[in-house]
Amino acid sequence: MSWYRKLHWQILIGLFLGLIWGLIASQTGMAAFTLAWIKPFGTIFVNLLKLIAIPLVLASLVVGVAKLNDITKLSRMGGKTIAIYLITSVFAISIGLTVVNVMKPGKTLPLETREELMMSYRDSVEDRDEAAGRVLERGPLQPLVDIFPENFVDAASDNSNMLQVVFIAIILGIGIIQIEKQKGEVLVSFFEAFNDVIIRIVDFIMMAAPYGVFALLATVIVELAGDDLGRALELLAALGWYCLAVVIGLLLHVSIVYTTLFKIYSQMKFWDFIRGIRPAILLGFSTSSSAATLPVTMERVEKNLGVHEEVASFVLPVGATINMDGTSLYQAVAAVFIAQAVGMDLSIAQQLTIVLTATLASIGAAGVPGAGIIMLVIVLQAVDVPVEGIALILGVDRLLDMIRTAVNITGDAAVSVAVASSEGKLVMGNYDD
Ligand code: ASP
């Protein structure tokens, strides 16, 4: 197969051309044109991905659970999944804290830039602060209550209710096991066929991925740069150390924590793993949304990494909702960066508080663009760092969001391989497209 026929190369070309278009458009006064005529295609692409997420999770998880010959397996798998998710998040935050304390990016931020950023992002900070306030107003057990839907249609009507859909699929699957075998088989066949249809639709949508990614990237660049690319580059340069700290942290996390996870749990080579999920990583990067990427992550993990549907259909939707290693690492770096920039030294106790709150904040963050920075407000409040400080990092947040989302997706997929392998549910994958 010629290289350019491979999906990940086509997506990469789309990414690259989108970047070039965005740069040219913001230099030549074509920003408004891009927003009016190119951005909508990116939105359509993301909408299509979101459209199939809930039916896919429902159908594949019902089948997965209904085919389990032993229900205790489900709770064992659930416990293992949550435990690995928590442990990898704590490692991510610790790596983030180490990198930011060693590099001290906040100390290098010139005073003038600080003042200027605080002024220009003041309104945007207020929005984030209010959104975080709404999260805090909810009771401590509200996230638990939110898993149990009161209405089936309501649960399926909003992609942010993914855990409710997971819950419905599990009880439906368990119900199917309990009824007369013949009747149960009818339902299993139905959901199996439905699942196959959705997977076909994922394939169709992915044919449009290179174009969708082009539109998304062009839009991101134009929205960041507006009609003044020079200003955007200046901002990037001023926050260069901070961005570098986040990126180094993320790279260390992927190369240390996930490779160790593979060493412990599976024989899969790390590079084969990356090859298998390349398109999902690239889509995560372009959409900044683990929730929108979920259908592709599920397809790649099952088809290319050889993770059994029983495992993937549970571990991945749960991961897209609660497991965000990239986000938690970024929150740790950002919190300490802001503290450093405003001249605060955080004690060990405060840094431990960051470990706790960033773990919770990443669990609470939705898999959508910009969710991480809203939950960062909660981390900052816990260690008494002024919330207004997020003005310092807002300008580059979208770029970092793209990278941390790619890591979030990689983390979900890595854990699904680990869980599948430990449950004897991993077969040899076909790592290439
Ligand atoms: N965009 C991220 C995700 O979807 C969440 C975040 O903002 O960090 O995984």
Side-chain angles (χ1 to χ4, degrees):
M1 192 196 260
S2 323
W3 66 271
Y4 54 84
R5 285 179 192 258
K6 291 192 173 170
L7 183 61
H8 66 274
W9 279 115
Q10 295 183 351
I11 299 180
L12 268 176
I13 293 170
L15 266 174
F16 180 69
L17 293 179
L19 172 78
I20 303 284
W21 177 283
L23 292 176
I24 294 177
S26 52
Q27 283 291 67
T28 54
M30 297 264 285
F33 173 86
T34 307
L35 295 179
W37 293 96
I38 294 185
K39 182 179 178 182
F41 293 99
T43 311
I44 293 174
F45 176 62
V46 173
N47 284 354
L48 289 176
L49 286 171
K50 288 185 185 162
L51 172 71
I52 49 170
I54 288 201
L56 179 63
V57 171
L58 187 71
S60 66
L61 191 51
V62 169
V63 175
V65 175
K67 282 192 167 173
L68 279 178
N69 36 24
D70 176 8
I71 291 291
T72 53
K73 249 193 202 168
L74 187 65
S75 52
R76 195 180 60 216
M77 193 167 81
K80 209 182 278 179
T81 305
I82 308 281
I84 305 181
Y85 277 157
L86 281 177
I87 294 170
T88 52
S89 293
V90 170
F91 272 111
I93 299 167
S94 313
I95 291 177
L97 285 177
T98 311
V99 172
V100 73
N101 280 302
V102 171
M103 287 180 65
K104 300 195 186 342
K107 306 265 184 206
T108 59
L109 191 70
L111 201 63
E112 263 169 50
T113 320
R114 201 182 88 188
E115 301 294 310
E116 205 185 307
L117 288 170
M118 293 293 241
M119 281 299 289
S120 42
Y121 288 99
R122 210 175 29 209
D123 293 345
S124 318
V125 173
E126 272 168 27
D127 293 346
R128 280 14 177 236
D129 200 10
E130 269 169 33
R134 284 195 291 278
V135 174
L136 283 177
E137 270 165 23
R138 302 170 345 138
L141 287 184
Q142 195 55 40
L144 181 67
V145 175
D146 285 345
I147 298 176
F148 302 91
E150 60 173 322
N151 183 294
F152 178 85
V153 180
D154 265 359
S157 71
D158 182 348
N159 283 26
S160 62
N161 290 339
M162 197 54 88
L163 289 184
Q164 298 191 348
V165 177
V166 167
F167 174 76
I168 291 173
I170 290 177
I171 54 170
L172 268 177
I174 294 177
I176 290 175
I177 299 176
Q178 312 282 321
I179 61 172
E180 216 177 285
K181 201 160 181 254
Q182 255 178 344
K183 286 186 187 164
E185 273 165 6
V186 175
L187 276 175
V188 174
S189 305
F190 166 78
F191 280 112
E192 241 168 352
F194 190 47
N195 192 29
D196 288 352
V197 171
I198 306 282
I199 302 258
R200 287 301 301 146
I201 299 178
V202 177
D203 289 338
F204 290 144
I205 299 174
M206 284 309 278
M207 281 158 56
Y211 307 100
V213 160
F214 167 81
L216 288 168
L217 242 274
T219 308
V220 168
I221 302 293
V222 161
E223 281 179 344
L224 277 179
D227 276 323
D228 188 356
L229 182 62
R231 166 91 190 90
L233 291 177
E234 261 171 39
L235 180 65
L236 202 60
L239 292 170
W241 267 118
Y242 158 68
C243 295
L244 198 64
V246 175
V247 173
I248 291 179
L250 292 172
L251 286 175
L252 286 175
H253 178 70
V254 171
S255 55
I256 299 174
V257 178
Y258 300 149
T259 44
T260 311
L261 196 67
F262 281 4
K263 284 225 170 71
I264 300 174
Y265 284 105
S266 96
Q267 304 299 323
M268 192 181 289
K269 294 212 176 60
F270 188 66
W271 177 237
D272 286 338
F273 164 76
I274 296 288
R275 265 168 58 208
I277 55 159
R278 266 178 307 205
I281 296 179
L282 291 172
L283 269 199
F285 178 80
S286 335
T287 59
S288 289
S289 169
S290 7
T293 314
L294 180 63
V296 183
T297 319
M298 284 176 73
E299 195 196 22
R300 301 299 297 195
V301 161
E302 286 175 30
K303 267 202 201 159
N304 298 73
L305 298 185
V307 172
H308 197 282
E309 184 183 42
E310 215 168 82
V311 176
S313 62
F314 171 76
V315 176
L316 294 173
V318 171
T321 322
I322 67 164
N323 181 51
M324 300 197 178
D325 293 352
T327 301
S328 59
L329 186 150
Y330 141 83
Q331 286 170 334
V333 176
V336 178
F337 168 77
I338 294 171
Q340 289 169 349
V342 298
M344 285 173 70
D345 274 325
L346 295 180
S347 64
I348 296 286
Q350 279 172 309
Q351 307 232 8
L352 287 175
T353 309
I354 293 183
V355 176
L356 186 71
T357 47
T359 306
L360 297 175
S362 67
I363 291 175
V368 296
I373 200 162
I374 294 178
M375 301 305 276
L376 175 64
V377 171
I378 296 171
V379 180
L380 293 177
Q381 284 172 345
V383 286
D384 290 329
V385 173
V387 170
E388 296 70 36
I390 63 171
L392 301 176
I393 56 169
L394 262 169
V396 290
D397 200 61
R398 180 61 197 238
L399 286 181
L400 294 180
D401 195 0
M402 297 165 85
I403 307 174
R404 66 185 187 245
T405 307
V407 174
N408 290 344
I409 287 162
T410 311
D412 298 342
V415 174
S416 75
V417 170
V419 173
S421 172
S422 71
E423 291 285 320
K425 295 280 173 195
L426 184 69
V427 292
M428 181 75 185
N430 162 27
Y431 305 115
D432 261 316
D433 287 337

